[in-house]
Amino acid sequence: MTITLKPLLAVENVSKRFGPGCDQCGEATGPQFNRNLCPQCGSVWACRKIAFDLYPGEVLGIVGESGSGKSTLLQLLYFDSQPTTGNMRLHLNGQGSVTGTGIEGQNCFQLSAFQKRQLRNTLLGIVYQHPHLGLRMSVSAGGNIAERLLMADWRNVGQIRQRAGSLLTRTEVPLERMDDAPRHFSGGMQQRVQIAKALCNEPGLLLLDEVTTGLDVSVQARVLDLIRSLQGELNLATIVVSHDLGVIRLLTTRTLVMKNGCVVESGLTDQVLEDPQHPYTQLLVSSAL
């Protein structure tokens, strides 16, 4: 008997517009015009009709230059922002404590604020480009993790502290620094605390937004090695957003290329980077050589 696994995440026709929009937007913006700003109404199309599936354990890369819409898309998936149109459906395949709550297969963008918090606290994890977006800098490293565990109904203080210590050790943060505030940490260590916090509830889907930007090359290498080992160990479904093709090549199996809010090319990472078909992808690859 063949068992067909549904995609963990199905993104359908997702668009995000800043501004009123007009009848001319579709005819005046996009990669073919090299702009996402409508000259008629001044609206910005950060994302336009994005669609993809992500399966359990799969690692998807999203690559593009600054302003291509890749980080905006990640913010939509984590409910930091609301799309203008589109659907996001989660098929939990038995994962997460939200199974059986009626969320399965629904358009997650239309869920209540409470249901979205449930998903964020149990199934989703995120590591932001700027650590101050994902961490409370004046709260201890262990306290940041404890805060997320409390939102997921952990109540035993001893177990919470043990879990925080285990995760910090796993992400190479010295245990003796657990009670120090992240504002006293280096950028690389702040990112490792973010990773520990994102993983504390064993999410089914991990979102990584430019996690190595601004870090020294040696620190980048250690953070990437850590992420790669955790992906293999935990079999995490992951979306990696980056403008760095080296990061995409190292971490991902499949890649979407975005320009002016649209996907212009997609496929297996090796195929996209070794034999790019779209002129924009060819430009990205050649500029990285």
Side-chain angles (χ1 to χ4, degrees):
M1 182 178 66
T2 301
I3 299 176
T4 302
L5 198 63
K6 292 181 179 179
L8 175 72
L9 172 69
V11 173
E12 306 161 352
N13 197 36
V14 170
S15 298
K16 177 64 176 180
R17 183 189 71 235
F18 296 95
C22 69
D23 294 339
Q24 301 299 314
C25 282
E27 301 174 2
T29 61
Q32 67 273 33
F33 301 101
N34 197 32
R35 65 187 177 208
N36 58 2
L37 173 67
C38 178
Q40 298 296 322
C41 67
S43 296
V44 174
W45 287 88
C47 294
R48 176 75 69 83
K49 297 181 179 179
I50 307 297
F52 63 87
D53 290 338
L54 181 72
Y55 286 83
E58 187 179 15
V59 185
L60 175 70
I62 303 177
V63 67
E65 62 191 348
S66 296
S68 61
K70 55 191 189 299
S71 291
T72 297
L73 177 59
L74 219 62
Q75 292 167 11
L76 296 174
L77 300 182
Y78 198 64
F79 310 121
D80 282 338
S81 183
Q82 185 70 12
T84 304
T85 62
N87 300 324
M88 168 186 170
R89 304 186 193 280
L90 289 165
H91 302 284
L92 306 177
N93 299 307
Q95 291 181 276
S97 61
V98 292
T99 303
T101 61
I103 289 174
E104 178 87 16
Q106 286 195 48
N107 181 7
C108 295
F109 295 135
Q110 295 180 350
L111 297 176
S112 67
F114 172 75
Q115 289 174 311
K116 288 177 181 177
R117 284 195 301 272
Q118 273 191 304
L119 285 178
R120 282 169 61 124
N121 293 337
T122 57
L123 190 70
L124 306 178
I126 191 168
V127 180
Y128 292 98
Q129 174 181 352
H130 303 293
H132 71 269
L133 295 176
L135 298 173
R136 294 177 63 185
M137 290 298 178
S138 60
V139 175
S140 70
N144 270 277
I145 297 172
E147 187 176 59
R148 183 165 170 84
L149 290 171
L150 285 167
M151 289 190 293
D153 293 328
W154 285 55
R155 291 293 177 263
N156 185 291
V157 175
Q159 291 177 351
I160 289 174
R161 188 167 179 83
Q162 182 179 23
R163 176 67 171 160
S166 173
L167 284 160
L168 291 172
T169 300
R170 196 175 196 175
T171 53
E172 302 180 2
V173 177
L175 198 56
E176 60 268 22
R177 305 286 313 265
M178 183 167 74
D179 295 321
D180 293 348
R183 69 172 183 267
H184 300 305
F185 293 172
S186 66
M189 192 176 292
Q190 288 175 351
Q191 289 296 55
R192 291 196 287 271
V193 175
Q194 267 209 100
I195 293 169
K197 182 177 180 179
L199 295 178
C200 70
N201 290 325
E202 300 182 354
L205 175 59
L206 179 64
L207 308 173
L208 304 177
D209 186 11
E210 301 278 15
V211 292
T212 60
T213 299
L215 301 180
D216 293 338
V217 174
S218 60
V219 178
Q220 285 185 26
R222 292 185 65 187
V223 170
L224 290 174
D225 284 344
L226 170 63
I227 292 170
R228 193 176 186 185
S229 65
L230 289 170
Q231 284 174 339
E233 181 183 343
L234 303 175
N235 194 35
L236 285 169
T238 309
I239 298 178
V240 181
V241 161
S242 182
H243 67 277
D244 188 331
L245 296 185
V247 171
I248 296 297
R249 188 186 297 273
L250 179 68
L251 296 181
T252 71
T253 52
R254 190 161 55 92
T255 295
L256 307 180
V257 181
M258 291 187 65
K259 177 176 173 58
N260 298 123
C262 300
V263 174
V264 296
E265 187 166 352
S266 64
L268 296 176
T269 298
D270 288 344
Q271 180 182 9
V272 170
L273 298 185
E274 296 296 334
D275 186 24
Q277 300 300 303
H278 192 277
Y280 176 67
T281 312
Q282 293 170 358
L283 180 63
L284 283 180
V285 172
S286 64
S287 65
L289 296 178

